[in-house]
Amino acid sequence: SLMEQLTFFHDHTVMILSMITIMVAYIMMTLTKNKYINRYLLEGQTIELIWTVMPAITLIFIALPSLRLLYMIDEINNPSITLKVIGHQWYWSYEYSDFSNTEFDSYMKPVNEMNKNEIRLLDVDNHTVIPMNTQARVVVTAADVLHSWAVPALGIKIDAVPGRLNQGTMNI
């Protein structure tokens, strides 16, 4: 649901930017073809007020949905399961510590061991399993260097920094 809201916000922002671009292009084309000049338009206080207030209103129409999305991303609703992810130089370590101490490492598959339907640099030997329709918390850290743990389809991307725990939530 979070990725769906992010997609809606992207579409909303692109529509606003498209309308602005079309309006500015229309005004520029009209000004280049128009030979007449209105002296009241060049010295008017009302037009200055309009082109000052309209961008402010436009920014509000973009900022309010953006702030709502930022709060939705950071919201944590009593997670049912916690997944601890540790980034290493060439692999990821996963820990399920809520029910039993289940730990495993996940390495990328070498190209010579891959099947035809697997994607290079994305398929791994041990997959992480997270139950559907449950709130899951992901705690991410790194053991050595900076990493980035991401699942684009769920709209989650968390940076792994050594010595720091970053947290995110997801609902599949």
Side-chain angles (χ1 to χ4, degrees):
S1 62
L2 183 60
M3 189 61 193
E4 184 180 30
Q5 292 294 318
L6 286 169
T7 305
F8 287 152
F9 174 69
H10 172 265
D11 295 344
H12 170 74
T13 308
V14 166
M15 282 300 290
I16 291 174
L17 292 175
S18 300
M19 289 188 296
I20 291 171
T21 304
I22 290 170
M23 185 178 72
V24 168
Y26 173 75
I27 291 172
M28 288 176 65
M29 291 300 290
T30 306
L31 286 174
T32 57
K33 293 182 179 183
N34 190 4
K35 302 288 186 210
Y36 304 109
I37 297 175
N38 185 350
R39 73 179 180 97
Y40 295 113
L41 189 61
L42 295 176
E43 298 175 357
Q45 295 293 320
T46 57
I47 191 69
E48 288 183 12
L49 180 71
I50 289 172
W51 70 47
T52 304
V53 171
M54 286 305 288
I57 292 172
T58 305
L59 287 176
I60 288 172
F61 274 113
I62 293 174
L64 291 179
S66 173
L67 289 174
R68 186 180 65 85
L69 262 177
L70 282 174
Y71 283 113
M72 280 177 57
I73 289 172
D74 284 343
E75 185 178 35
I76 298 174
N77 296 330
N78 195 16
S80 302
I81 189 169
T82 300
L83 174 67
K84 184 175 180 184
V85 181
I86 303 169
H88 298 279
Q89 191 74 30
W90 293 104
Y91 65 97
W92 292 94
S93 295
Y94 294 97
E95 298 177 9
Y96 294 100
S97 58
D98 287 341
F99 305 111
S100 64
N101 281 338
T102 306
E103 299 177 8
F104 62 92
D105 294 333
S106 181
Y107 292 90
M108 283 189 304
K109 281 191 175 179
V111 177
N112 57 353
E113 294 178 10
M114 295 180 70
N115 297 330
K116 292 285 186 194
N117 59 348
E118 294 177 335
I119 302 171
R120 185 177 161 265
L121 298 177
L122 288 180
D123 279 309
V124 293
D125 56 355
N126 292 324
H127 294 275
T128 305
V129 178
I130 298 175
M132 289 181 60
N133 295 326
T134 58
Q135 192 75 20
R137 174 178 37 207
V138 182
V139 179
V140 181
T141 189
D144 44 19
V145 295
L146 296 175
H147 298 281
S148 184
W149 188 84
V151 182
L154 298 176
I156 186 167
K157 181 176 186 224
I158 304 171
D159 291 329
V161 180
R164 177 178 210 155
L165 290 175
N166 289 331
Q167 160 174 298
T169 61
M170 61 182 164
N171 191 355
I172 301 173

